[in-house]
Amino acid sequence: MKILTKRFKKVFSYKKGPLPRPCMFNDIKFSFSSVLRQQESLVRSNDGKKKLMMWDAGNRTVVQEFILEGFPAVQHLGKILFLVHLLAYLASIMGNTLIITITWADHRLHTPMYFFLSTFSFVECCFITTVIPKLLAIFLSGRQVISFAACFTQAFVFLSLGSAGFFLMAVLSLDRYLAICRPLRYSSIMSPRVCSLLVTACFTLGFLFMVVPVVHLSQLSFCGPNVIPHFFCDFGPLAKLSCSDTKSIEMLFFNVAFLVLFISLLVTVIAYSNIVVTILRLPSAKERQKAFSTCSSHLIVLSLMYSSCLFIYVKPKQTSRVDFNRQAALVNTVLTPVLNPVIYTLRNKQVYQALRGALCRGK
């Protein structure tokens, strides 16, 4: 007992001097505050500015911003790239706006075909606007950063409008089939109400097909790195940056993209197969030439759209050829919207005549 008493006194005895802390609460508080300070990590992006990355409960960084590195030479060729893409953007917007204006101003173009064509031009204006303005800001400022919310919003709008554009192309093919193969029933089938319902269905299907994979992808964990080797937020590059298992979501997106392209392509192939058979049966060579000229512009636009999108999206496994994907995306997002107004106006006699008539009235 005496031994225990001595040891007890020895443990709780102290020499004269500064009083010890009564408990370890201050030590715990100090340690906890230091841990809290370590919960924020500052990383540097390419432009040298500090970017904040938060930490989640699993002690992993949560990406708040992405860096778009689609054009590595943006620091050196930013002004030239800005000028080229600005001219392409203005040409696309002006050309498609011109088609919309001419279609609604000239009563001779108040037909289902030109109603669908003007709607497609509107989709093209919105489609290119989701990508190019942000790209122009990157070229001009050199700041290649986009926020998490803005990135996924861009991806959703881009994919939804792209899907709606393919469905509109299928509707245009169906319209040409009815006009050439069923001319007597064309006006009764393609009534204004039916045309409005078809356009509404195209936008609704585009939204519904893409909302599920994009929302599911946005709910996955993104803990770094945050560099996207692309010039806009696309589904494939975003999926590669996720720390979660993305096999199921990538397969879901592949199935959705395949379904969108397959449905629209199937309708187009069936429609144009019947159109070709009907045209070849026409007795006059002049009638055959007129029918082919009506459909040729549509076929050129379809070949540009399908070739680029089939290469980018319809692949069970994402290949490592990032440069080829980027070039195909440039064709789809920049070149095609610029060429579409030229193809439809120069190769379409009715639009060309309406445009000449509007210019003559303006003089």
Side-chain angles (χ1 to χ4, degrees):
M1 188 66 181
K2 291 181 179 180
I3 295 172
L4 290 173
T5 304
K6 289 180 180 179
R7 287 182 178 178
F8 184 79
K9 289 180 179 180
K10 186 176 181 180
V11 169
F12 287 95
S13 63
Y14 54 87
K15 296 180 181 180
K16 292 182 180 180
L19 291 174
R21 288 167 287 190
C23 64
M24 298 300 293
F25 177 76
N26 291 332
D27 292 334
I28 297 172
K29 183 178 179 181
F30 174 77
S31 300
F32 185 69
S33 62
S34 64
V35 170
L36 284 177
R37 284 195 299 269
Q38 293 175 359
Q39 295 298 307
E40 295 182 351
S41 173
L42 291 173
V43 295
R44 291 185 178 273
S45 63
N46 288 352
D47 57 358
K49 296 182 180 179
K50 293 182 178 180
K51 301 297 173 191
L52 184 65
M53 298 179 71
M54 305 303 294
W55 289 62
D56 63 5
N59 201 26
R60 295 181 303 179
T61 55
V62 178
V63 173
Q64 298 293 309
E65 293 175 334
F66 294 102
I67 301 170
L68 298 172
E69 282 195 344
F71 291 93
V74 66
Q75 302 294 339
H76 308 288
L77 302 174
K79 298 297 187 293
I80 297 174
L81 292 172
F82 172 81
L83 184 61
V84 171
H85 286 80
L86 177 63
L87 292 175
Y89 178 66
L90 292 177
S92 175
I93 294 295
M94 291 174 63
N96 285 293
T97 305
L98 183 64
I99 289 177
I100 296 170
T101 306
I102 290 295
T103 302
W104 287 99
D106 197 314
H107 68 278
R108 292 174 296 180
L109 302 181
H110 290 178
T111 61
M113 173 184 169
Y114 292 104
F115 172 72
F116 295 133
L117 180 59
S118 62
T119 306
F120 180 73
S121 296
F122 172 74
V123 171
E124 288 287 88
C125 289
C126 299
F127 182 76
I128 196 172
T129 303
T130 60
V131 176
I132 300 300
K134 178 61 181 177
L135 192 58
L136 293 175
I138 290 174
F139 291 148
L140 199 60
S141 65
R143 193 170 182 268
Q144 300 171 277
V145 175
I146 185 170
S147 67
F148 186 92
C151 188
F152 276 93
T153 302
Q154 185 188 60
F156 171 69
V157 175
F158 176 84
L159 294 171
S160 298
L161 289 174
S163 301
F166 278 107
F167 288 130
L168 278 171
M169 285 286 101
V171 170
L172 271 168
S173 303
L174 182 63
D175 174 79
R176 290 299 84 207
Y177 163 75
L178 292 172
I180 295 173
C181 302
R182 301 287 186 271
L184 299 178
R185 299 183 60 190
Y186 176 69
S187 57
S188 61
I189 295 174
M190 283 296 182
S191 63
R193 183 173 178 273
V194 171
C195 293
S196 301
L197 288 174
L198 286 172
V199 169
T200 305
C202 290
F203 282 103
T204 304
L205 288 174
F207 173 84
L208 293 177
F209 270 110
M210 292 303 162
V211 67
V212 175
V214 174
V215 169
H216 277 292
L217 181 63
S218 66
Q219 293 174 346
L220 297 181
S221 175
F222 289 87
C223 53
N226 64 337
V227 177
I228 300 175
H230 214 322
F231 59 91
F232 70 99
C233 295
D234 204 357
F235 191 92
L238 281 172
K240 289 181 180 179
L241 295 181
S242 176
C243 303
S244 307
D245 185 12
T246 60
K247 289 182 180 178
S248 59
I249 191 68
E250 285 183 309
M251 186 54 63
L252 172 64
F253 179 74
F254 167 76
N255 292 331
V256 168
F258 179 79
L259 193 61
V260 169
L261 294 175
F262 177 75
I263 291 174
S264 58
L265 185 60
L266 181 65
V267 173
T268 303
V269 169
I270 293 174
Y272 273 97
S273 298
N274 286 275
I275 287 171
V276 170
V277 172
T278 304
I279 291 175
L280 292 176
R281 290 176 180 174
L282 293 175
S284 172
K286 188 176 181 180
E287 290 179 351
R288 289 196 295 268
Q289 184 180 2
K290 182 179 178 181
F292 273 121
S293 64
T294 305
C295 302
S296 59
S297 57
H298 186 206
L299 290 172
I300 293 171
V301 173
L302 280 171
S303 61
L304 286 172
M305 290 177 62
Y306 279 108
S307 59
S308 59
C309 288
L310 285 171
F311 181 82
I312 298 170
Y313 297 111
V314 185
K315 292 178 293 185
K317 292 184 179 180
Q318 295 292 328
T319 63
S320 59
R321 292 183 281 184
V322 179
D323 292 336
F324 293 143
N325 282 3
R326 193 183 303 138
Q327 292 167 6
L330 273 174
V331 172
N332 190 34
T333 57
V334 179
L335 185 61
T336 304
V338 172
L339 292 179
N340 284 351
V342 178
I343 293 168
Y344 280 119
T345 53
L346 294 182
R347 296 188 62 86
N348 193 304
K349 290 184 179 180
Q350 287 181 295
V351 176
Y352 186 69
Q353 289 173 358
L355 183 60
R356 285 185 62 183
L359 291 175
C360 292
R361 286 194 299 270
K363 292 179 180 179

